[in-house]
Every structure is written in C-alpha cells, then in structure tokens.
Amino acid sequence: QVQLVESGGGLVQAGGSLRLSCAASGRTVSNYAMVWFRQAPGKEREFVAAISGSGGSTSSADSVQGRFTISRNNAKNTVYLQMNSLKPEDTAVYYCAAVMGYYSFSSASYDYWGQGTQVTVSS
C-alpha cells in the first residue's frame, strides 16, 4: 500500500504561482511513477504531469507545458508540482497518484490516489 497526501492548494490571482506537494508513505516510493491529475467541476479528470520513479523522465499536458513543472525528492518521499503563470482555467481539484513501474496518461492505470487539493485561480 502507498498512502498519498496532497497539500499546497489555495486561492491565487491569475498570473500567480503555487507549489503543490504530494507526500508518499508505505512502500519504496522510488519504485513508483507519480502523476498529477486534475478535475474541474462538471469535467472529466485530466492528466497534468507525470514523473518516473527515478525522476529521470517527465511528461506534461500541452495545456500546462512551459508553466508547470513536476519534480520529486525520493529522500523525502515527496513529489512536487510547481505551477506558474496560473490561469482561471487551471481551477480544479488536483490529485496525485502512483503506479508501480512506468507512468501512464490514463487515470485508470493508477492504483493509489490522494484525497485532492483545491486550486482556485481568480481572474
């Protein structure tokens, strides 16, 4: 079992920044790829960014490229999502998730999920 706890969400004005954290516990976290998804009201959960277990490989959605950066510190069992130049359309609940092995862009592939953290961007 892997337990995930997100933090760092909040209310920010457009153009501002936030850094989300996802603290993991349980199994050897470096064996797990980690991902951030988000879900806005009335919309499907969508992929935001992913990182391999070692941190050597990352991927992000076109909508956030150049603005969001995913990283991890395996010594601290924590994954981060640095979000810059935030837009109102980034408003959503952000979830981190984990899967053994390589990351996937599909939420159905993930075994473990956090409870989510709300990000609200005002215009």
Side-chain angles (χ1 to χ4, degrees):
Q1 290 282 347
V2 176
Q3 292 78 41
L4 303 172
V5 178
E6 302 99 332
S7 61
L11 173 63
V12 63
Q13 288 189 333
S17 298
L18 283 173
R19 188 176 80 156
L20 305 184
S21 298
C22 175
S25 61
R27 301 284 179 86
T28 304
V29 177
S30 59
N31 291 337
Y32 289 78
M34 302 290 289
V35 68
W36 288 95
F37 284 88
R38 67 186 181 186
Q39 188 165 19
K43 294 190 176 182
E44 297 284 324
R45 191 167 294 190
E46 66 171 349
F47 169 81
V48 176
I51 189 165
S52 62
S54 67
S57 176
T58 63
S59 183
S60 59
D62 290 345
S63 59
V64 305
Q65 279 190 5
R67 300 188 299 123
F68 292 11
T69 303
I70 190 170
S71 62
R72 67 190 298 159
N73 184 331
N74 284 340
K76 295 185 177 181
N77 290 339
T78 303
V79 176
Y80 305 97
L81 185 68
Q82 178 66 45
M83 305 187 295
N84 299 328
S85 302
L86 282 160
K87 304 176 181 179
E89 51 263 44
D90 295 318
T91 295
V93 177
Y94 284 71
Y95 299 90
C96 70
V99 65
M100 176 77 78
Y102 205 67
Y103 56 73
S104 164
F105 302 138
S106 169
S107 61
S109 301
Y110 289 83
D111 304 312
Y112 305 103
W113 291 85
Q115 81 288 352
T117 186
Q118 176 71 47
V119 171
T120 303
V121 184
S122 62
S123 57

